[in-house]
Amino acid sequence: MNARDWLNNLSRRERNLVYAAAALLAIALAYLVFVLPLQTANERLEGRVEQKMSDLSWMQQAAGQVSAAAASGGSEAGSDESLVVLVDRTAREAGLGGTVRDQSPSGSNGLRLRLEAAPFDVVVVWLSSLEQQYGVRVDAASVDSTPTSGLVNASLTLSHGNAAG
């Protein structure tokens, strides 16, 4: 017996219940397949917009420091350079400029950044130099190996103690 025969053998009331259940199932399935993914994507995008707005606000606050550092050419170590400018300049000087990715603010005086395929020995020397010469602390670090020996991916959270040295 196929489904059509089975349905025809039901009473009118039972058939109506089967149709109603099928309609509810179709509505639930449509919600799960179409509406729920759109809502999730929308929430995720709203979160990204909020993060970008926060980043923009921080960047606008730091714009004065960046302009001042650019105007002075970063001539004096530990001068009024913002952490963003200091990290960018010293990373380039250490040969890590091409490995720096995804810089974003962390709190009022911190910076999160990611290094990709960076030489481990150079990263360690660079971080040590940042701390000794500029008072920049490593608040958090996550270092992962790469398929290439000696190269690492690193996620760092740095903060400036305002102690030039």
Side-chain angles (χ1 to χ4, degrees), residues 17-160:
L17 285 173
V18 169
Y19 292 144
L24 287 175
L25 182 63
I27 291 169
L29 187 61
Y31 177 79
L32 290 173
V33 171
F34 298 111
V35 177
L36 192 59
L38 290 176
Q39 285 179 333
T40 304
N42 188 40
E43 290 170 3
R44 186 173 48 246
L45 290 174
E46 285 175 355
R48 286 187 65 197
V49 167
E50 287 176 17
Q51 179 63 42
K52 298 296 181 186
M53 294 293 284
S54 172
D55 291 350
L56 176 62
S57 174
W58 178 83
M59 285 182 211
Q60 287 172 336
Q61 291 174 354
Q65 292 175 328
V66 172
S67 297
S72 70
S75 58
E76 189 168 328
S79 63
D80 291 331
E81 277 183 313
S82 72
L83 185 57
V84 173
V85 173
L86 177 67
V87 166
D88 183 60
R89 178 178 59 81
T90 58
R92 278 187 279 113
E93 290 172 356
L96 296 170
T99 67
V100 177
R101 305 279 188 275
D102 302 328
Q103 291 187 26
S104 63
S106 175
S108 62
N109 206 23
L111 179 67
R112 284 186 306 266
L113 68 139
R114 176 138 177 92
L115 302 174
E116 292 182 359
F120 177 76
D121 296 340
V122 176
V123 171
V124 171
V125 171
W126 173 62
L127 291 173
S128 175
S129 170
L130 278 175
E131 183 171 7
Q132 292 175 359
Q133 295 179 12
Y134 305 101
V136 174
R137 291 187 325 263
V138 177
D139 293 332
S142 171
V143 180
D144 302 309
S145 63
T146 65
T148 306
S149 180
L151 298 183
V152 296
N153 294 331
S155 295
L156 304 169
T157 303
L158 307 176
S159 65
H160 199 281

